[in-house]
Every structure is written in C-alpha cells, then in structure tokens.
C-alpha cells in the first residue's frame, strides 16, 4: 500500500486479517457440521466476496434486494435476503429468483399471501422469528400465526419453506460472555421448541441464526443448522467491547489526513467525519464516548498507539482526536493517521467508493 | 409525485418549502446589506443549487475539494471551501483555482507556508477563527500566530487575504434563543476585536460566520459581512428543537416502506435504517431519544401525525417506529410512511442517489 497516494478519508482493508477471520469462522462451522452463510452487508464488496468463495463458501446472506442483485452480478447463486419481505419490491425479487436460488423472509400473513399470489419462480422462504430481541419477526410462541403462514406457504407450488430464521441482536446490548451465551442458549431452545410443533409436516426445517457476538463466542452449535454472521469479517470496536474479538482481529482502519495539530488542547483535527465513519459510537474503558481508536499507519498496516488517544467528536467532515503525548510528538499536519471504527458495517458502506485493499 | 412508484427509502424534497427557506434567508441578508454565501454541504445537489441561483445567489460554500469540483461542473464560479487546508489536496486545489474564484481556509503557519510555496493561480484565503466552539481554527486571541500567517500570506502574489471566518457551532448545544444570541454576540465581538488589530494593513477584511441557528434567529447582522448557513435549506428536527425553525419549515422527509405492523407492541417495522437516515438522533419533548418524527405522506407532500409516534430505534436497514393509535389504525404493511430526519445533512448525503424533488 502506498500511503503517500492517499488524499482523503480512505478505508484500508487488511486482507490477511480478513482471511484469518473468515477461516476461523469457517473452521468453527465445519467443526460443528453446520452451514456458514455469511452476511455480506458488512463489506458489500465483490472483492471480499471472492475471499469467501476461495475458502469454500457458496451460500450468502444480504440485507436488501439491491445487495442481492449486486452479488448476483458477481456470480453468487444462492442468496438469502435476511430482511422481511418488502412487498413493494416483488417485481425485483421475481427478476432475481429466476437466476439463482433465492430465499426471502416472511413475518406476517400478508407477506405470505402476497408472496403466494405474486411470486413466480421457485423461491425459498424462512419465517422470521423473534426470540427476545424485539426488533422484528413473529414471536417464537405465536404458533397460530406461524401455522397460518405455513398452511398458505406450504400449499403453494412456487414457494418452498426452508425453516426458521432469527437474529439474536440483543447480544449487542450486554457486556459479558456469560450474558451472550445465555441469550444464545435461550434463543436456540425457543427455536427448537418451535420447530418441534411442525416437524411432522416439515422434517427438513432449518434453524438459522446469525449475530457476530454469538457466532464468535459459542463453540458448540448443536441444535442449529446454519449461522449467518456478517460483522466478523472486519470486526470493530463495538465487537471488541462486547468481547467478540481482540483489537488485532479488526481488519479495517480509516486513513485520515491530519489537518490541524492543536498543542493547546492536545488535539488533532482530521479530515474524517460522519460522512466517512458514520455517527455510531462506543465507549472507552473510562466510559468516555468514542467514535474510534487511533492507530499508527505504515505501508503494511497499522499498530495501535498507547492508550489514551481516541476520536472524541465528529461532525459532517471534521473529526477531533483527543491525543496523548505519544501521538502529539509523533504526528504532524499533513500526515495520515488511522482510525479503527466503532461500527465497521456503516463505515464500509460510507466509504464503498474509497476503499483500499492491501 | 407518484408515491406508488417508491419501492425503497427515498428522500422527498419539497421544493416549495426549499424556495421559501431560501427566500427568507436571502431577504434577511439583503435587509442587512450582507452577502449570503450558502453552504451547499447540506443538499450537495445541482438541482437545489439552481433554486439558489434563480434567486440571485452566485457565491457558495462547500466543505470539501470534491464538492467544489462537483459544483464547478454545474457552473458555480465563486466557491469557498470552508474546511481548513488539507495539504494532501494541493494539486486538486490548483486544478480548480484556475477555473473559478476559489477561497480556502488557513489555520496554521504550516498551511500558509505550504500554500505560499505550492499554490499556483490566484486564490483567496480566510483565516479560520475559533471564537468558542473549540473544534478547529486559531483562537481569536492568538494574535502572534495570526500575524505570522498574514505576513507570509500578505507578501505572496498568488494569495489574497479575504478575512476571518468562523463557525459558531456551539449554538447547536444550547436550548434557548437567548443562549444562541449570546453565543452569536460574543463571537461577533471577538471577530471585530480581532479585525481591528489588522485593519490598517487589510482594510477590506471580511467577517464571515455561518451556523444555521444564529442565521435563523439573529435579525440584525451589523458588524458581520457574510453569512454561510447550510442546513436552513432543508432544516430538520435538531433545528426545530433548537428553535431555528418550526416543523412546517422542514423541507425533506424520507419515504419508507412499512414492512411489519406489530399490534402487540404498537410498532411498525420500516425499511429505513442507518444507511438511509444516519445514526444521528435528537430528543422528543419527553426526552426520549428519536431518529425521526413520523408523517403521513400524500401526493403533494406530508402532514405530521398527532404527537406520540417516532422512530425509536434503527439498525443498518431496519427502523422501528413507536406508533400511536392514529398511526396504528391508518397504516398497514405495504404502505409508505414518512420520517422527518434528525439531521438532514447526513440523510441527504446517504440518499443522494435516491432523491425525489417535487
């Protein structure tokens, strides 16, 4: 990588770290004899897609119809759109489903009626189940609603029921490995309990789960058929704080030009703001709010500075780094500095057109 | 506008409201005999640019070199890049400055030395002054540093000193008109005090300020030569909370497909998340956190629902609306619903390619 060519905030992707993150997750899935269907919403990049493909991954997850179209164009043939059916995109879904194995999510009777009426080619569907996160989906104990969906979906020639899909997103709100494992175990048990009710009619029912915290921490996936983590490919500070990864696993940093060095306040003003990093934040050990951790860039990657330097504030294009003595003595106006993002999915989305893979 | 064509989160821009917002600010500038140099970072759109041009605006502000390039391509000939000099973009600045009247910001001795050495065509510069916001710039009382910059800049044939430029961004952190006026008055006084020190050498020194809260609330701009507000073109919930505008002035809403209607929790799941709205938030009257206020869409615009419905949570693509009885009885899966954003600049940036002007 040639740092001297970088003029503007640029996402640096360390492919060796990416590959290590992919291989570890694939190994874990293989050890458990389950399917790894990674979520591609984090990287949204055909280049990173190839790194997965080269390691034997041929089924993927996306979060929008447009993302499915994008990855279909780079040759992916088995895609789950892990977002409940948007009935306004039925025509686009029909165009896609003729070209590949496509799975959609159903979470209401209106969805399945619409799907049964308007979807043409053979298409798989999962029922989206809420085991406790309370963002979306039917709750695991709404048996009569789930039964109605299965009755309509099960009797339609172009629809194929795949299984129950859940996202244990509440793992993002806890702070210990123990609590993550509790959420995972409870969610898994609820899905298995649900599955039992329909096992006679649907013996091949798949149970699919997917948050990165669970997938990073759980070792034994007995009772689950498929995992769909996404963030793990890059990881970030939020995952580090949760305990899903260490700082060495974080595979992306944003290279930002240093604009001002303020010796009065021990601050650096960087070109790097909300339109590059997003406004998502996390917390330092001392509970102060941070938009990113500061790292020293070199031609082969980055090394964290000693503790105490972090991105304390951002506006549209500006970032303000609270800098410790090490940073203040080493970095000057015109230099580049690296920022490990709070939330890599949103940062990668914003810097899609300004990414450097090395 | 044809709502039935909308399939995905789409920024709706009400041009009549935009025009009214522009005309009010232009009238205020004209009444005061000062220059309105609007900041185009909010809309980043040549279409909105034309609405300004048609009302006699010919000088603009942007926050990046790339934005200056964009607006140069749509015929703007007098642009201030209101972001301190990024020395890594000197070549791009040189390419631009030959084509138009370009002003840059200088906030350190290294900046002016670099500019004096490397900038080719005639270029204007402002010194960026911090009157209390403490984000960037030299503090108003750093007279010796400012004098050094003026000595280097003043003796260079290709550089022309324009004046002192400040952004009173601390107005975003207060909650009353009185406090905004205090910040404005103090900032204005400090700039005038600064100007006096150099008035013999630079009799044409311009004082330029720009935050939307001040520009919306202040009536008498005596002592100031130029204002650079940006957000006022669209306004948003943050500005409404500050008191810069009323909800009727907000000129943008995001149209979002309704995916799930949850009668157990009185919630709607919408297709509309952090990659559409940004993660910026503000607060409801009861201090609960909100990512947006919910409005009823129709073919000519939108009307707010009665109080009590708001976007309570967002993830990458999902939004969760806490819905009152009115919303719950009126809205169904497959409908569209409108969201007035917390921060319109970041939302417009994210939805640049999915915007509908009506």
């Amino acid at each position: 990588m040639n740092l001297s060519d970088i003029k503007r905030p640029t996402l640096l992707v360390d492919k060796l770290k990416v590959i290590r993150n992919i291989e570890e997750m694939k190994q874990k899935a293989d050890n458990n004899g389950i399917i790894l269907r990674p979520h591609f919403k984090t990287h949204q990049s055909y280049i990173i897609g190839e790194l997965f493909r080269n390691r034997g991954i041929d089924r993927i997850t996306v979060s929008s119809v447009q993302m499915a179209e994008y990855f279909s164009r780079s040759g992916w043939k088995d895609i789950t759109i892990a977002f409940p059916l948007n009935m306004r995109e039925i025509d686009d879904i029909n165009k896609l489903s003729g070209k590949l194995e496509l799975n959609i999510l159903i979470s209401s009777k209106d969805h399945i009626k619409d799907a049964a009426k308007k979807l043409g080619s053979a298409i798989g569907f999962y029922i989206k189940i809420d085991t406790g996160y309370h963002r979306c989906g039917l709750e695991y104990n709404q048996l009569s609603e789930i039964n109605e969906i299965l009755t309509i979906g099960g009797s339609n020639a172009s629809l194929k029921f795949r299984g129950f899909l859940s996202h244990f997103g509440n793992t993002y709100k806890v702070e210990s490995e123990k609590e993550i494992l509790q959420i995972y175990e409870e969610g898994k048990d609820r899905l298995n309990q649900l599955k039992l009710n329909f096992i006679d009619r649907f013996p091949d029912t798949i149970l699919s789960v997917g948050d990165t915290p669970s997938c990073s921490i759980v070792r034994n996936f007995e009772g689950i058929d498929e995992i769909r983590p996404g963030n793990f490919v890059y990881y970030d500070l939020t995952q580090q704080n949760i305990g899903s990864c260490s700082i060495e696993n974080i595979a992306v940093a944003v290279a930002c030009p240093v604009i001002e060095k303020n010796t009065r306040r021990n601050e650096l003003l960087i070109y790097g703001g909300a339109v590059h990093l997003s406004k998502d934040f996390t917390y330092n050990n001392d509970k102060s709010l941070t938009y990113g951790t500061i790292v020293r860039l070199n031609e082969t990657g980055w090394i964290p500075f000693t503790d105490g330097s972090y991105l304390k504030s951002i506006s549209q294009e500006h970032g303000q780094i609270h800098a410790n003595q090490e940073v203040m003595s080493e970095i000057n106006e015109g230099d580049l500095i690296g920022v490990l993002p709070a939330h890599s999915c949103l940062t990668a989305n914003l810097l899609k057109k300004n990414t450097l893979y090395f």
Side-chain angles (χ1 to χ4, degrees), chain A residues 29-306:
Chain A
D30 289 350
N31 290 347
N32 278 276
I34 60 175
I35 300 162
L36 172 61
R37 185 188 279 277
H39 206 314
F40 276 19
K41 81 181 174 74
T42 302
H43 58 79
Q44 296 183 53
S45 155
Y46 75 91
I47 295 168
I48 300 297
E50 291 309 302
L51 300 181
F52 278 96
R53 205 197 306 262
N54 296 340
R55 273 138 200 99
I57 308 290
D58 54 8
R59 286 169 274 203
I60 66 170
T61 308
V62 298
S63 55
S64 72
V65 177
Q66 285 180 304
M67 230 183 274
E69 289 163 353
Y70 170 85
F71 284 109
S72 163
R73 287 195 295 277
S74 52
W76 293 90
K77 296 285 184 201
D78 190 334
I79 302 180
T80 295
I81 302 173
F83 187 89
L85 180 64
N86 173 13
M87 300 194 276
R88 292 175 166 256
E89 292 184 299
I90 289 273
D91 291 347
D92 302 282
I93 293 170
N94 271 331
K95 273 181 211 151
L96 258 180
S97 63
K99 297 184 210 165
L100 47 88
E101 293 286 315
L102 191 68
N103 300 311
I104 58 170
L105 300 201
I106 297 292
S107 51
S108 83
K109 214 165 71 175
D110 280 357
H111 290 176
I112 194 74
K113 280 185 186 166
D114 232 51
K117 200 157 53 185
K118 297 178 186 161
L119 287 178
S121 312
I123 197 161
F125 75 93
Y126 287 86
I127 301 181
K128 170 80 177 181
I129 301 297
D130 177 7
T131 63
Y133 179 31
H134 302 327
R135 181 176 66 176
C136 62
L138 288 159
E139 293 187 34
Y140 67 98
N141 54 8
Q142 289 187 270
L143 292 183
S144 72
E145 288 86 346
I146 292 167
N147 187 46
E148 279 188 279
I149 289 172
L150 286 173
T151 303
I152 299 169
S155 62
N156 187 291
S158 63
L159 293 173
K160 161 99 183 122
F161 175 60
R162 303 280 184 209
F164 298 112
L165 181 147
S166 191
H167 174 64
F168 305 159
N170 35 345
T171 54
Y172 280 83
K173 292 170 183 167
V174 299
E175 285 176 348
S176 73
E177 225 173 84
K178 195 179 151 204
E179 288 167 294
I180 292 171
L181 290 174
Q182 272 170 356
I183 290 169
Y184 171 81
E185 288 296 330
E186 185 179 66
K188 181 195 72 177
D189 289 348
R190 288 174 171 175
L191 289 174
N192 276 284
Q193 193 181 317
L194 170 62
K195 177 178 159 179
L196 274 184
N197 291 283
F198 305 100
I199 197 73
D200 294 341
R201 282 155 68 195
F202 300 100
D204 301 326
T205 297
I206 290 172
L207 297 184
S208 173
V209 301
D211 59 300
T212 284
S214 294
C215 292
S216 300
I217 287 168
V218 172
R219 300 193 163 274
N220 178 354
F221 284 95
E222 209 178 318
I224 289 297
D225 304 293
E226 175 180 278
I227 53 172
R228 312 178 318 279
N231 181 283
F232 78 99
V233 66
Y234 289 164
Y235 283 120
D236 54 31
L237 294 182
T238 300
Q239 298 289 349
Q240 190 208 349
N241 276 349
I242 291 169
S244 314
C245 70
S246 68
I247 198 165
E248 288 74 28
N249 300 122
I250 300 176
V252 289
V254 181
C256 297
V258 175
I259 306 297
E260 289 181 15
K261 180 173 177 172
N262 190 314
T263 50
R264 289 182 164 198
R265 295 197 302 263
N266 287 328
E267 279 181 18
L268 300 177
L269 178 79
I270 57 169
Y271 183 12
V275 295
H276 313 105
L277 285 148
S278 95
K279 270 262 176 151
D280 232 341
F281 56 82
T282 182
Y283 296 95
N284 294 311
N285 288 338
D286 66 1
K287 303 290 174 204
S288 53
L289 190 149
T290 177
Y291 294 95
T293 284
I294 309 310
V295 296
R296 179 191 288 115
L297 298 176
N298 58 47
E299 299 296 333
T300 59
W302 54 81
I303 302 158
F305 283 103
T306 51

